[in-house]
């Protein structure tokens, strides 16, 4: 018995980005805060998971 219908990427509707999406993309490209990354190990330690 199949609980969920078979899905693929072809079944996903494509929609144009709205103003909110465009602003998030702009911020991700231009904000210095979006350029700072930490390793998975550091993130785990900071979150108290390691």
């Amino acid at each position: 018995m199949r609980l969920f219908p078979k899905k693929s990427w072809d079944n996903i509707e494509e929609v144009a980005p709205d103003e909110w999406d465009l602003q998030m993309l702009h911020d991700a490209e231009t904000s210095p805060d979006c350029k700072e990354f930490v390793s998975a190990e550091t993130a785990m330690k900071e979150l108290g998971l390691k």
Side-chain angles (χ1 to χ4, degrees):
M1 182 171 108
R2 179 172 278 232
L3 296 177
F4 300 101
K6 185 175 180 180
K7 300 284 183 183
S8 74
W9 289 108
D10 296 329
N11 297 97
I12 299 172
E13 178 186 2
E14 186 173 326
V15 296
D18 62 13
E19 287 300 316
W20 179 264
D21 296 327
L22 294 172
Q23 183 63 46
M24 287 192 306
L25 291 169
H26 177 265
D27 290 347
E29 292 174 354
T30 59
S31 173
D33 291 336
C34 294
K35 307 296 183 210
E36 184 179 322
F37 295 95
V38 297
S39 69
E41 183 176 335
T42 300
M44 298 277 280
K45 285 179 183 175
E46 289 184 12
L47 293 170
L49 300 173
K50 193 168 186 181

